[in-house]
Amino acid sequence: MSRAALDSLVAAFPQHILETTDRLGDEVAIVAPAGLLEIATWLRDTPAMAFNMLSDVTAVDYLARNPRFEVVYQLYSVSKKHRLRLRVPVGAETPSVPSVTGVWLSANWAEREVWDMYGIRFEGHPDLRRVLMYEEFEGHPLRKDYPMQQSQPRMDLRRKERDAVEEYKTLYVDKLAQARKAEP
Amino acid sequence: MNRAIADALAAAPERGVQEDVMVLNMGPSHPAMHGTVRMVLTLDGETVIKCDPEIGYLHRGFEKQCENATWSQVFPYTDRLNYCSPLLNNFGYALAVEKMLGIKATDRCNYIRTILGEMARLADHFTSLGAGALELGAMSAFLYAVEARDHIWDLVEEVTGARLTVSFARIGGLKEDLPANFAERWEATEPRLWDVIKKLDQLSTKNRIFMDRMMNTGVIGADEAVSLGFTGPVLRSTGVAYDIRKDSPYFAYDRVDFEVPVGTNGDNFDRYLVRLEEMKQSISIIRQCLKGLPGGPLNVDDPHIMLPPKELVYNSIEGMINHFKLIFEGIQVPAGEVYSYTEAANGELGFYIVSNGTGKPYKLRVRPPCFYFMGGIDRMIEGGMLSDIIPTFDTINMIGGEVDR
Amino acid sequence: MGVDIGVPGVVASRLETAVNWARKFSLFQYPFVTACCGMEYMAVACARYDVSRFGAEIPRFSPRQADLLWVVGTVNHKLAPHLARIHAQISDPKWVISFGVCASTGGFYDNYATVQGIDKIIPVDVYIPGCPPRPEQVLDALMMLQDKIQREKWDGPRAASDVAPAIAAVPA
Ligand code: SF4
């Protein structure tokens, strides 16, 4: 249904669209970061497109790939009832993309969350703070190289967390490793 | 409009009675901030000039946790997203994975999902309306609403075995069929629900205090709401008839007849009315589905997806291996990405899933409707009075588990 | 609870027993509700299960007016300091019930965000397992707490950690 929208997008911005797919009925355009803002404004303002709602922004961390991250935008048009997904590849060093807060208001918090969880900067965002984690938190938990159980308590705990796990580690894993080392 | 008042107040050199603005911290553990949300308010007298909501006090690492679970193990986590209506989250996630696998649930399954989903929506709206009334001081409405919710939960318990956290959906089907006497049980429950809906209506809708506090508070315009990513009853209260059940029907919603109630003003009272009307529609949907409930198999017939029946698991080696593989390695979902959306009680509940072809999701993003409400709530509050925050907060029905995940 | 000493309308008792008896039936609760367990807490507090039958009727949303802290739901590291502070603000004697597995042990959220049980932050008197616990189980826990209050000794300062925590039974 939104194949037409995708086609006209490609026709309008051939230089910025890196690739398109429509697997499983989801139309996707992979967009170069440089063209994102222009494309976003065009998608919202062209009457035939009328993508007036940005339903979601998220990111994916493909650790082994280059570029490492991909920021994903889900668009919807309330009047035309069609959907489109934009994917923007972002490199691993100082990852950043232009912010679309000027185009859709919902981008404000959504981009804050992506910054919080993945550490991707949004250039031109008015207020890029953490939203789910606290300010003292170091690192970005949803990155694939952030260990799942690495907590950063904000206060002194009365007892250790996960002592059983550590016990297991010192009692079995470390000992086993030592024993292996001792073997000739 | 609220924004304009707020800006004018912030810019005004002389501020009337109060020279200084006051900064007030509301939450994170405040009786009216159901769930744990903090708001840093800048007040001029009792007028809110600036509001800075802070969330994350219930962040439980949903996504990280799911990335380390198999596709089926994700179900319990989805229960706890919007914990007022766990079934709807279950079904939304199941639909997403089914889309990814390229399978379609059976007819009977779709009907049952619709029935149970609407029951969950009813429970959610009862909770939201009841709690909302309670926070405006109407204790009796709350007691009635919770009683009605308990009636629904009794029914849910009979079907699923649990009151709240049900984990009833499976990829490609459901855990079980409806019990044999479900239709009669529903017949018995329905009048009670109507009774409570009527009572809620009588207790609140024409109540002077209730009206004064709800009308023209927390107003949001249609264009702004769309741009802010609002969905569900909050968007519909502004007059935009966006309901995924109608716009891109899934399950059995294209085979039942129902209306999408919309409001006109986008204020708290309209949101309340929209919810009240939606409950009536939900009951009618359930009735229609029960009448048209088709027979046939419940689950898709695919050994790569559904667990084999228990007799096979215990009595044949093939069955046991099949069971073992599905439990330990998980359902193998082909690589790719998908965005699937359903209408949850609060609006568009989307699942964006990336698979790398293994038994675990590579990335599982939930698009929670409430997160975007919280992102735009400052626009509904600023310029209003401090006391308007309470009804506004109630009618957007913020659910901590969903906002913070 | 006392001895009849033959004077009509008068019983003799130890002060400790009498005061403990009074305390256990006038628990003012502070519901620290964070998550899904709060839905069950609502059910417990409402008409059908009605916690007020057990002398714990009125929720107080100020720690200064409460003596029983219900920690209902998941507590994460962002929220932990707030919980500790609220607990510190409740004046003695105070009791803590940990409602649900999340509050008791972290539940099935074992990751960077959640505290692995509120006993890492504050002392707990009664743990209620269940995700969420059924209302019956919650009422059982409340009675356990009352039992515990009745048995409290007054010699020396009371520290909750001195009194061994109880665990509400899982219904068969
Ligand atoms: S114990 Fe279960 S129901 Fe209770 S807060 Fe934790 S996840 Fe939710």
Side-chain angles (χ1 to χ4, degrees), chain C residues 44 49 70 97 99-101 126-144 167-171:
Chain C
V44 176
Y49 294 98
W70 293 86
I97 291 184
F99 190 118
V101 285
V126 180
Y127 296 91
I128 315 177
C131 184
R134 289 190 59 96
E136 295 87 345
Q137 217 175 328
V138 179
L139 297 177
D140 185 37
L142 189 71
M143 289 192 282
M144 274 180 146
I167 298 180
V170 185

Side-chain angles (χ1 to χ4, degrees), chain C residues 19-31 55-70 86-87 89-97 123 125 142 145-146 149 152 158 160:
Chain C
V19 174
N20 279 348
W21 177 84
R23 276 180 181 167
K24 77 173 182 186
F25 288 123
S26 63
L27 291 167
F28 281 70
Q29 359 168 11
Y30 182 101
E57 174 152 24
I58 313 169
R60 289 282 156 188
F61 287 98
S62 159
R64 291 181 179 82
Q65 299 168 359
D67 49 16
L68 168 58
L69 176 66
W70 293 86
I86 284 171
H87 182 258
Q89 283 174 343
I90 300 179
S91 48
D92 270 327
K94 55 187 165 193
W95 301 277
V96 179
I97 291 184
D125 288 282
L142 189 71
L145 181 72
Q146 289 172 336
I149 296 174
E152 252 165 36
R158 175 194 180 272

